[in-house]
Amino acid sequence: MVLKRLSAVLLAMLTMAGLQVAAAGPAAAAPRILYYDASQAQEFVAAVNQGAQIWNSRVTNVRLQPVPAGRTPNIRVYADNGWPRTYSSSLGNGYWYMGREAVNDGYYVPRIAAHEFGHILGLPDRRTGLCADLMSGSSAPVSCKNPNPNATEIASVNRLFATSAALPAREFAFAG
Ligand SMILES: [Zn+2]
């Protein structure tokens, strides 16, 4: 309760400071829900769900949920033979591909799924080469089996969704 009250106060202060915040809805109390549609992810549906669960178990300001029937998803997931890649239209919205090029090269599928969701959640690529960084993508060794965002990546996503940050449309490729 204390935390919720504190975040409400913080949000009010940010609003007064002129930063962009959500225009409607209860202030920062509930996480923002993003619906994803994995029905076209072919053999990768389970990996897509796993990628969503990884984020759900670590961030507090946003939740990724399977889209209910009759509702338009925020996120669509596809699969093809190219490289994994994401096309984000704004924070929390867009589509991404599970690409068999990376899968066939041996990159860990749950890591790819969590990484591409990371772009939808507002994180850019950071090609540090480190397995501990989820957003290092293909710059980490093929042997890297870490599908989890690090503390900095988690904090960044929470911060972006706390203020519903406005992000420009962008494209991200797993290899580059
Ligand atoms: Zn990427």
Side-chain angles (χ1 to χ4, degrees), residues 81-113:
N81 293 330
W83 281 94
R85 61 205 183 276
T86 295
Y87 304 84
S88 71
S89 51
S90 63
L91 180 66
N93 294 290
Y95 58 98
W96 60 269
Y97 281 81
M98 178 59 76
R100 296 187 188 90
E101 182 95 46
V103 176
N104 294 340
D105 280 0
Y107 286 102
Y108 190 50
V109 173
R111 176 173 161 85
I112 298 171

Side-chain angles (χ1 to χ4, degrees), residues 84-86 115-116 119 123-127 134-138 172-175:
R85 61 205 183 276
T86 295
H115 174 98
E116 301 304 329
H119 287 313
L123 300 180
D125 284 304
R126 295 202 186 284
R127 302 188 197 281
L134 179 61
M135 300 315 291
S136 65
S138 67
F172 302 94
F174 194 71

Side-chain angles (χ1 to χ4, degrees), residues 18-145:
L19 296 176
Q20 182 159 5
V21 294
R32 185 164 151 208
I33 306 294
L34 299 177
Y35 293 113
Y36 68 91
D37 179 359
S39 66
Q40 297 174 84
Q42 302 182 45
E43 71 269 37
F44 302 111
V45 171
V48 172
N49 289 328
Q50 187 179 349
Q53 283 310 312
I54 285 167
W55 280 107
N56 287 344
S57 65
R58 284 165 178 80
V59 296
T60 51
N61 287 340
V62 60
R63 276 195 79 75
L64 296 163
Q65 293 186 357
V67 65
R71 195 176 170 116
T72 303
N74 300 89
I75 304 152
R76 287 187 167 87
V77 184
Y78 303 100
D80 71 4
N81 293 330
W83 281 94
R85 61 205 183 276
T86 295
Y87 304 84
S88 71
S89 51
S90 63
L91 180 66
N93 294 290
Y95 58 98
W96 60 269
Y97 281 81
M98 178 59 76
R100 296 187 188 90
E101 182 95 46
V103 176
N104 294 340
D105 280 0
Y107 286 102
Y108 190 50
V109 173
R111 176 173 161 85
I112 298 171
H115 174 98
E116 301 304 329
F117 269 128
H119 287 313
I120 296 288
L121 297 177
L123 300 180
D125 284 304
R126 295 202 186 284
R127 302 188 197 281
T128 60
L130 300 176
C131 186
D133 298 341
L134 179 61
M135 300 315 291
S136 65
S138 67
S139 73
V142 171
S143 60
C144 175
K145 299 273 191 287

